Amino acid sequence: MTAIMDMDVAAITSGFAAGDFSATEIADAAFEAIEAADPQVKAFLEYTPEQAYAKANALDAARAAGGVLPPLAAVPVAFKDNMNMLGTHTTCASHMLENYVSPYQATCVSKMIDAGGIPLGKLNMDEFAFGSSTETSAFGYTYNPWDLERVPGGSSGGSAAAVASGMATLTLGSDTGGSIRQPACFCGVVGMKPSYGMVSRYGVVAFGSSLDQVGPFGRSVADVAAAMNALVGHDTLDCTSQDCKVDFLANLDQGVKGMRIGIVPGMTFADGCTPETLAAMHDAVAKLEGLGAQLVDVELPHMDAAMSAYYILGPCEAFSNLSRFDSVRYGHRTPGCHELGQQYEKSRSEGFGQEAKRRIMLGSYLLSAGVYDKYYYPAQQVRTLITRDYREAFERADVIVMPSSPRTAFKFGEISDPVSMHLSDMFTISVNIAGNGSLSMPVGLGRDSGLPVGFQIIGPQFQDEKILRVAAALESCCDFRGRVAPAFAKGGEA
Amino acid sequence: MALTEDDVRRIATYTRIDLTPEQLSQMTIDLNEIIESLDAIGKYDLEGVEPTFHPIGGLVNVMREDEPHPGFTQKVALSNAGAVQDGAFLIPTILGGGDAS
């Protein structure tokens, strides 16, 4: 039998239901895997064994009582550390929130636990999700399970690395400009950014409120679809939350015969895209065609404008959201100040890291009188153009495909200037601007780097089931599938 | 026009961030570099294009009956505060001149 922590969701839930193993044994296996891998990977910022075993005991009791088990019964799960989980620290990987203990719980966390997930802990990230490598975390790096000298991507680097190293079966991340899809790509797992509004953000610390979306990581498309089933649905506590409950597992094996796969011709020659990424992309597209899909050319003429628009809108919204950290109600407070203004300044200067300060100050500048009309307002007009581009493209195509990232995982410190770092999100950002759903899945190992290459599938707004259907079809004919990275695979007997 | 260190100091004051002289000078370099990269936003023909401020149009307020609902207790609401006195958040004086908190 496969080791529990190498199993997919279906194997765990069916094995648990059949009595092959108890939920307590699953929790034991999870914490053993964490003990073995996390000293190297450092994906977690906090472990929650008390909550995990309480949930496992409840699941074992429910099974013994013969009741109906929830859909993710006894699946080991973990959460990005910008998600409030009652009684845990929710630090956003920032000294600002180092001592903050959640007095309430995010809807997405409750939904995963209510669906049967065993909560293992909280995961590292770029500080306040400002970054693409998890290097800006105030609490140290997370290491890529495929190559410990490389970054796991970001900002949800801990969420991707935990799944890729077999320390969790499902994790949640958040995606403002690619923060789920790019780390999923770098770590060789599946990561989904649902359409904006599909998953409640209540209880998730806000970065860019018109861009942020919560989504799952897993090692297979079916695992991610199972998590999506648990996550979506209307929540009165988030006014952007939509009522679009669908069964993402229902049509997963319908195939792609007759579906129209949109390709953006100019994009495959984009600057900075490595030859191995383009080769993997062409290979994946050929597989979809081989499965009976029809390839169609689509245009997204304002893709390059998305970068500028994002790096205007993101900091503006971050500046606004991070003004709440005033050192009074919660968050870091510098003691000994004689005046409130001084306490604000000292506390914020000590609490926020470099990248957070940069984005706050940039956002403040961009929204200032006279500057607003030069950057912020045009960025919102560009958003109209990008949204229109996607809408028109989806009249010709059911989904659009492109690389998730221009390259595979880079080494620590390899990209140090902010502008170059921003380019690693060149394929993901426009999706957040328009609010569509999108997924990154591994399609192979790069012929040059030997590291996982990610393939991105974008769908029309609120038609995320189409994305998963295409992904499942492609996965079924890929030699390479999401898996525990070789150095961390348990294999053998459970 | 590039930002000067004086401009950046004013932004720092407004955003309540205290920068050392070295940090101020690095921040000036960083911000100018980023802002220069954003100038591309000016090259598109945006004449007559309406802005989209949000990916979902037609958001409506969520209303409910005005009935008592459980919320945080005073103890929980104060549990993350750095300084508390007599069941309230404690801050130093607003105008200065008082004791340090």
Side-chain angles (χ1 to χ4, degrees):
Chain A
M1 189 168 75
T2 312
I4 290 173
M5 293 310 289
D6 289 355
M7 288 181 178
D8 63 13
V9 167
I12 290 174
T13 52
S14 61
F16 170 63
D20 297 341
F21 34 75
S22 68
T24 308
E25 284 170 325
I26 295 171
D28 287 342
F31 284 109
E32 276 169 29
I34 287 171
E35 205 172 312
D38 210 34
Q40 297 171 76
V41 177
K42 298 189 188 297
F44 283 83
L45 292 177
E46 181 172 0
Y47 307 121
T48 55
E50 201 177 308
Q51 290 94 326
Y53 281 102
K55 183 69 187 181
N57 288 336
L59 286 162
D60 284 334
R63 189 183 61 175
V68 177
L69 294 169
L72 298 179
V75 174
V77 299
F79 307 103
K80 187 174 183 178
D81 207 32
N82 60 353
M83 297 170 182
N84 279 280
M85 176 177 159
L86 195 61
T88 66
H89 290 87
T90 297
T91 69
C92 292
S94 176
H95 288 304
M96 180 55 84
L97 288 171
E98 193 164 2
N99 298 311
Y100 172 79
V101 178
S102 296
Y104 73 118
Q105 190 151 286
T107 300
C108 59
V109 171
S110 292
K111 279 181 174 262
M112 291 299 280
I113 297 173
D114 291 348
I118 297 176
L120 305 175
K122 306 291 286 295
L123 299 159
N124 201 14
M125 56 188 282
D126 279 295
E127 184 182 12
F128 285 104
F130 299 150
S132 309
S133 64
T134 313
E135 287 169 292
T136 70
S137 166
F139 307 120
Y141 293 166
T142 290
Y143 297 83
N144 190 317
W146 283 85
D147 178 351
L148 297 170
E149 292 183 0
R150 290 174 190 273
V151 304
S155 67
S156 310
S159 305
V163 168
S165 57
M167 295 193 283
T169 311
L170 292 173
T171 58
L172 296 188
S174 60
D175 190 315
T176 306
S179 283
I180 289 174
R181 290 158 288 159
Q182 185 254 27
C185 164
F186 280 15
C187 291
V189 296
V190 182
M192 176 141 196
K193 183 205 96 74
S195 290
Y196 182 89
M198 271 199 135
V199 179
S200 166
R201 292 101 41 90
Y202 174 72
V204 180
V205 180
F207 159 8
S209 300
S210 78
L211 305 161
D212 295 341
Q213 184 58 201
V214 169
F217 290 87
R219 290 186 294 269
S220 72
V221 175
D223 283 11
V224 163
M228 284 289 287
N229 274 357
L231 284 170
V232 301
H234 183 242
D235 178 11
T236 51
L237 297 172
D238 177 354
C239 70
T240 66
S241 159
Q242 305 291 301
D243 189 14
C244 38
K245 191 92 181 137
V246 283
D247 183 350
F248 293 98
L249 287 164
N251 68 355
L252 215 50
D253 58 0
Q254 298 290 302
V256 291
K257 201 166 172 53
M259 282 183 89
R260 299 162 302 162
I261 309 291
I263 319 253
V264 188
M267 186 172 296
T268 49
F269 304 105
D271 290 346
C273 208
T274 58
E276 63 175 5
T277 297
L278 292 178
M281 158 96 191
H282 288 307
D283 189 39
V285 167
K287 283 196 169 83
L288 287 171
E289 193 175 23
L291 290 168
Q294 182 194 346
L295 305 183
V296 294
D297 285 350
V298 294
E299 298 294 330
L300 293 174
H302 299 95
M303 269 293 280
D304 58 337
M307 290 293 287
S308 309
Y310 176 80
Y311 280 100
I312 292 166
L313 302 178
C316 289
E317 296 189 9
F319 157 66
S320 168
N321 275 319
L322 268 61
S323 65
R324 75 191 54 180
F325 297 101
D326 62 1
S327 71
V328 174
R329 295 159 301 153
Y330 46 81
H332 175 76
R333 167 182 168 276
T334 304
C337 295
H338 291 271
E339 191 254 318
L340 183 60
Q342 183 194 27
Q343 182 178 307
Y344 288 153
E345 285 185 8
K346 295 283 178 207
S347 303
R348 285 166 65 84
S349 302
E350 290 175 4
F352 290 132
Q354 179 70 8
E355 182 66 17
K357 287 175 189 168
R358 223 166 11 220
R359 297 211 193 189
I360 289 168
M361 292 182 62
L362 179 62
S364 166
Y365 169 71
L366 295 173
L367 287 170
S368 59
V371 182
Y372 176 98
D373 294 326
K374 188 176 172 197
Y375 296 102
Y376 185 78
Y377 195 81
Q380 301 288 29
Q381 291 174 295
V382 162
R383 184 179 225 164
T384 302
L385 300 180
I386 292 165
T387 306
R388 195 184 295 162
D389 286 351
Y390 271 112
R391 203 172 41 237
E392 286 170 5
F394 284 123
E395 285 170 8
R396 295 172 49 80
D398 294 299
V399 296
I400 296 170
V401 299
M402 62 182 75
S404 307
S405 166
R407 54 168 299 173
T408 55
F410 48 85
K411 290 193 170 176
F412 289 98
E414 188 178 334
I415 300 179
S416 55
D417 74 288
V419 175
S420 301
M421 185 67 89
H422 295 173
L423 288 176
S424 74
D425 301 327
M426 61 192 278
F427 292 119
T428 49
I429 273 172
S430 66
V431 177
N432 299 73
I433 302 268
N436 300 77
S438 172
L439 167 147
S440 175
M441 62 184 292
V443 288
L445 297 177
R447 64 186 185 197
D448 303 318
S449 67
L451 295 164
V453 180
F455 183 71
Q456 189 180 194
I457 305 167
I458 303 165
Q461 207 174 17
F462 302 128
Q463 295 183 38
D464 296 18
E465 66 276 10
K466 277 188 185 169
I467 299 171
L468 286 159
R469 179 176 158 189
V470 173
L474 179 58
E475 182 184 58
S476 71
C477 67
C478 272
D479 299 330
F480 182 91
R481 297 190 193 184
R483 65 187 71 175
V484 175
F488 297 96
K490 269 68 72 184
E493 297 295 308
Chain B
M1 193 179 67
L3 291 176
T4 65
E5 289 200 4
D6 276 348
D7 295 331
V8 176
R9 189 179 293 111
R10 275 193 289 276
I11 297 169
T13 304
Y14 181 69
T15 55
R16 301 285 192 180
I17 289 171
D18 192 22
L19 296 177
T20 63
E22 295 75 32
Q23 289 169 333
L24 182 72
S25 110
Q26 185 59 47
M27 188 62 83
T28 306
I29 295 168
D30 288 353
L31 289 183
N32 277 319
E33 190 185 341
I34 296 170
I35 291 163
E36 195 185 322
S37 76
L38 301 177
D39 281 341
I41 204 77
K43 73 178 183 192
Y44 302 96
D45 180 10
L46 299 172
E47 188 66 37
V49 177
E50 287 296 314
T52 301
F53 288 99
H54 204 274
I56 298 177
L59 288 180
V60 289
N61 285 326
V62 179
M63 308 296 274
R64 64 170 170 84
E65 292 303 311
D66 186 16
E67 289 163 353
H69 251 232
F72 285 162
T73 61
Q74 185 186 44
K75 189 178 166 200
V76 170
L78 293 169
S79 62
N80 280 297
V84 171
Q85 189 177 29
D86 302 329
F89 297 105
L90 178 66
I91 57 167
T93 63
I94 292 169
L95 299 174
D99 293 335
S101 72

